[in-house]
Amino acid sequence: MAARTEDPRSAPPIRWGILGAGNIASTFANSVREFTRAQLVAVGSRHRDRAERFATAHGIPTTHVGYRELVEDTQVDAVYVATPHSEHREHALLAIKAGKHVLVEKSFTRNAAEAEEVFAAAKDAGVFVMEAMWTRFLPHVSALHQVIEAGEIGDIVNIRADHGQFFPFDASSRLYAPELAGGALLDLGVYPVSWAHDFLGVPTGVHAVGQLAPTGVDGQISMVLEYGDQVQATLHTTMWSKTPTTSSISGTEGYIRVAGSFYGPTQFRVARRDGREWTFEQPYARGLQYEAAEVARRVAAGDTESPRMSWQGTLDVMRTMDEVRRQIGVTYPGEPTA
């Protein structure tokens, strides 16, 4: 059932530059180094000591202080943008202007308008750009689509998904900073929203309630996405509790329970209305190597986007999250309020 997911080691080699040297960049670097044929050739950070520590930890030969030097490095084929959400647009545009292919951490930008600007620039430059929604490329997600397409649970009626992590309030933290586009939705809630979009598409209605942190970012949100008269996605995200991070996909002929964390490498169990049950299991390590391999394959093919995480797909998710933020009253500095 996982035959649709190719081994990341079979992807063509590509030379990566890492823009930003934080925790997610470290996870990406480890995944690429261990499970693909790609090279990590350069890292850029605003702080020399951070860049040097990151380079030493991951065996990267070249460090840059600042991001312009990184994107203009002739060794680099593709840039992985791993800075806060507030900076994704600026850093993606910087890399595109330098003629580099770009993988931008989720959420792709602060809002749909910024995403449109990045994709327009990529179209003009003829370079590949993709949101780093690694979930789309994992083996269990490929298997889930096969199960659903085969009619094992009939027609989908409801998708439920949650993503909550506990982050104590700290006004100086990136997660609680409006100027860095903090909050639960863009950092955590993007997973259940993108998950619903992957299986159901664009909702016909969006309903959200939420509570804000003292700094004005969203601390917790519950969402219901409507898909016509008989289908819903019920989603939840919070920064105030470590939730199960599971998902269920319920249909007219049965349901699927996806174990936590649903958005990372995991297993699922199918339970049919006729009493038959079975489990999909495929142990494997890490997971970000699959999105990295997708970039390498698409770049080698001369593509500018991925059909699994297309530009339109990212825009659709961003527009849903824009509407959620509108309903709960969250804006970031510099965004239009109308």
Side-chain angles (χ1 to χ4, degrees):
M1 188 164 285
R4 292 186 187 176
T5 305
E6 299 180 67
D7 186 341
R9 294 182 180 88
S10 69
I14 192 171
R15 299 175 299 175
W16 284 100
I18 310 294
L19 195 157
N23 291 334
I24 189 62
S26 183
T27 301
F28 180 81
N30 285 332
S31 299
V32 168
R33 189 179 70 247
E34 294 177 32
F35 298 105
T36 77
R37 293 190 291 149
Q39 294 177 277
L40 303 172
V41 299
V43 59
S45 173
R46 292 194 176 107
H47 307 284
R48 182 181 301 277
D49 59 341
R50 174 173 282 194
E52 290 176 349
R53 286 196 304 269
F54 191 96
T56 298
H58 299 288
I60 298 174
T62 305
T63 60
H64 296 285
V65 180
Y67 302 135
R68 186 173 300 278
E69 292 79 2
L70 173 74
V71 301
E72 293 178 351
D73 189 331
T74 57
Q75 302 176 90
V76 173
D77 299 317
V79 172
Y80 171 62
V81 175
T83 47
H85 308 125
S86 55
E87 301 181 57
H88 286 180
R89 169 194 166 276
E90 175 188 349
H91 295 154
L93 291 174
L94 190 69
I96 291 167
K97 185 176 180 181
K100 297 299 194 293
H101 307 291
V102 191
L103 177 65
V104 184
E105 252 312 318
K106 51 78 200 155
S107 65
F108 188 74
T109 49
R110 296 187 302 176
N111 52 51
E114 290 183 348
E116 288 173 342
E117 188 177 355
V118 172
F119 291 138
K123 182 178 180 180
D124 289 343
V127 298
F128 178 90
V129 173
M130 188 179 83
E131 179 182 10
M133 180 47 72
W134 62 307
T135 307
R136 296 278 176 112
F137 305 97
L138 296 176
H140 79 285
V141 177
S142 174
L144 279 168
H145 278 283
Q146 292 178 64
V147 168
I148 292 166
E149 289 165 13
E152 284 291 294
I153 62 167
D155 297 326
I156 295 175
V157 174
N158 177 266
I159 288 180
R160 182 202 57 77
D162 72 276
H163 188 189
Q165 304 291 340
F166 178 69
F167 298 104
F169 178 71
D170 178 357
S172 66
S173 166
R174 170 186 70 82
L175 289 163
Y176 285 97
E179 66 274 15
L180 298 180
L185 183 63
L186 296 196
D187 209 76
L188 308 175
V190 64
Y191 281 115
V193 172
S194 186
W195 183 260
H197 273 252
D198 190 19
F199 291 100
L200 294 175
V202 180
T204 55
V206 176
H207 308 275
V209 294
Q211 290 85 36
L212 307 187
T215 53
V217 302
D218 53 293
Q220 178 166 253
I221 306 175
S222 293
M223 297 161 274
V224 176
L225 309 186
E226 290 182 305
Y227 296 86
D229 295 332
Q230 293 185 324
V231 183
Q232 295 179 344
T234 50
L235 315 174
H236 177 254
T237 187
T238 182
M239 296 197 295
W240 300 331
S241 174
K242 174 66 176 77
T243 67
T245 65
T246 58
S247 178
S248 63
I249 305 175
S250 301
T252 54
E253 298 299 324
Y255 63 87
I256 304 169
R257 289 177 177 167
V258 186
S261 300
F262 75 87
Y263 52 85
T266 192
Q267 63 182 20
F268 63 82
R269 185 161 186 80
V270 178
R272 286 176 48 88
R273 193 157 55 89
D274 60 15
R276 185 164 62 91
E277 296 190 15
W278 55 273
T279 300
F280 172 87
E281 297 183 32
Q282 185 184 6
Y284 56 102
R286 301 199 189 277
L288 272 65
Q289 64 268 26
Y290 291 93
E291 66 178 7
E294 175 73 359
V295 176
R297 291 191 180 100
R298 295 297 167 185
V299 167
D303 298 333
T304 56
E305 59 183 302
S306 165
R308 277 295 290 136
M309 192 66 255
S310 67
W311 295 357
Q312 187 61 53
T314 289
L315 286 171
D316 291 339
V317 170
M318 293 306 308
R319 287 168 182 153
T320 295
M321 294 197 299
D322 284 355
E323 176 59 19
V324 169
R325 288 201 294 120
R326 186 193 69 79
Q327 291 185 23
I328 66 172
V330 172
T331 59
Y332 304 122
E335 281 192 312
T337 56

